[in-house]
Amino acid sequence: MTELTPSLAQSRLARIVGAGVAHQVAQRAKANGVKMGRPQKLTARQKKEAIKRRDQGEETLAEIGRSYNVSIWTISRITAVTDEPSLATPASRPERPWDVSRVSYRFEIVAFLDYTGQNASFESMEIRIPPHQEARLAALAARLGRSPDEIVAEAITFWELRVPQRLAAERRHSPAQAAAKILELRKGNVLPVGESIKDLINFGRA
Amino acid sequence: MIFVLDNSVAMRWCFESATHSYADAILQKLAAGDDAIVPVLWFYEASAVLSREQQKGTLDPAKAEAFLAELQS
């Protein structure tokens, strides 16, 4: 399959927040009594209720969001942080593979999506990385005397340069073999009752 | 032949309960050597769908990863 658009390096994707530095600044501000962040859209009680409703599985996230007059993304974020002990209800939730590591990556599009012709790019993106990686990045930046932004941008550029070679190395299937593998992979994958491909696509495009 | 592949077709390849003769015919075209083109956002869209199904426990993460890898091959 072929991508029509330029690579990520050519797009305007790349303002990446240096999370380690931002974290230190935030900690200092909090110590001085500054309240950080936007006001919460839902109360703690509403959040717990939303998580419970999600776990019951009778409503989609969009439906839950509408009932609180918030977006699906708000509900998605809230229900995604149930790893926090105060909000989690382990007895009612099936164990999921990524619960084991307790590491989560959250990508937030903090500005508009600019779509012009064949070029689509994000105005900016915030990437939150686990604390140990923040620490490594901060230490590396301090040692090199460079900003975390520069280091991450450079790492992405190197990674992108390596992608074509990696893909070529991994491309050991013929198209027919790939199609056969896809058909094999879909065995046993059953959508929940009442959920259609249209629902999935609408979620992906939301 | 080269054609533009819609995500709603490709996602039907991933779920046994959502199979469709048209989607399967498209997959066979690819298997026979036809080529599909997609915009770069296509992979984000597909990833969002598969990620959501992983979170709901409908799709095994390893399968989702393998599926995406095959789509890119």
Side-chain angles (χ1 to χ4, degrees):
Chain A
M1 227 174 292
T2 309
E3 291 179 5
L4 285 174
T5 57
S7 67
L8 290 180
Q10 293 169 303
S11 76
R12 289 182 289 123
L13 173 70
R15 187 176 72 83
I16 295 175
V17 175
V21 174
H23 179 72
Q24 290 167 14
V25 172
Q27 290 300 312
R28 278 201 297 272
K30 280 182 182 177
N32 291 329
V34 175
K35 192 172 182 181
M36 306 294 291
R38 291 186 299 178
Q40 298 288 306
K41 289 184 178 177
L42 297 181
T43 64
R45 184 175 177 179
Q46 285 175 318
K47 287 179 185 176
K48 278 188 176 179
E49 190 180 74
I51 291 162
K52 190 175 176 185
R53 287 168 65 183
R54 190 279 311 262
D55 287 345
Q56 286 171 344
E58 293 171 0
E59 299 168 277
T60 65
L61 295 183
E63 288 168 343
I64 296 171
R66 276 196 293 273
S67 71
Y68 295 113
N69 200 26
V70 296
S71 72
I72 184 175
W73 299 111
T74 301
I75 298 298
S76 178
R77 279 195 297 273
I78 288 167
T79 54
V81 297
T82 52
D83 288 344
E84 293 175 16
S86 60
L87 295 175
T89 52
S92 63
R93 291 183 55 212
E95 185 170 332
R96 299 176 300 193
W98 56 89
D99 283 343
V100 176
S101 66
R102 302 283 176 187
V103 172
S104 63
Y105 297 84
R106 184 178 302 163
F107 295 81
E108 292 182 2
I109 302 166
V110 293
F112 67 92
L113 179 66
D114 175 28
Y115 177 81
T116 51
Q118 293 186 344
N119 181 25
S121 63
F122 297 115
E123 183 64 24
S124 60
M125 174 184 277
E126 180 180 335
I127 299 177
R128 298 180 187 178
I129 58 178
H132 69 278
Q133 287 192 8
E134 277 186 36
R136 284 181 63 192
L137 182 58
L140 188 61
R143 195 169 74 236
L144 298 176
R146 301 177 61 188
S147 75
D149 283 10
E150 288 176 337
I151 294 172
V152 172
E154 194 172 296
I156 290 173
T157 303
F158 281 138
W159 184 84
E160 278 195 304
L161 291 172
R162 285 169 46 197
V163 164
Q165 294 139 7
R166 184 170 57 82
L167 287 180
E170 289 176 353
R171 193 174 289 132
R172 41 187 190 274
H173 295 330
S174 67
Q177 286 172 321
K181 180 73 175 173
I182 284 172
L183 292 177
E184 186 187 321
L185 286 169
R186 85 171 170 194
K187 286 178 185 169
N189 301 338
V190 179
L191 291 174
V193 176
E195 190 167 275
S196 67
I197 286 293
K198 188 178 175 183
D199 296 329
L200 298 186
I201 300 302
N202 285 339
F203 174 82
R205 289 174 181 168
Chain B
M1 189 174 74
I2 298 175
F3 56 88
V4 177
L5 177 64
D6 190 80
N7 201 28
S8 60
V9 171
M11 289 300 101
R12 287 187 181 277
W13 301 339
C14 189
F15 297 97
E16 202 168 30
S17 62
T19 55
H20 193 284
S21 56
Y22 176 77
D24 285 352
I26 295 296
L27 183 60
Q28 292 312 315
K29 278 182 175 290
L30 285 171
D34 284 3
D35 203 5
I37 55 175
V38 294
V40 71
L41 282 179
W42 190 94
F43 285 105
Y44 293 109
E45 191 178 62
S47 300
V49 168
L50 298 179
S51 167
R52 184 199 185 200
E53 291 310 305
Q54 279 184 52
Q55 288 183 15
K56 292 170 70 176
T58 310
L59 187 62
D60 180 69
K63 272 190 173 183
E65 191 177 336
F67 185 74
L68 278 173
E70 294 301 337
L71 283 178
Q72 293 180 69
S73 65

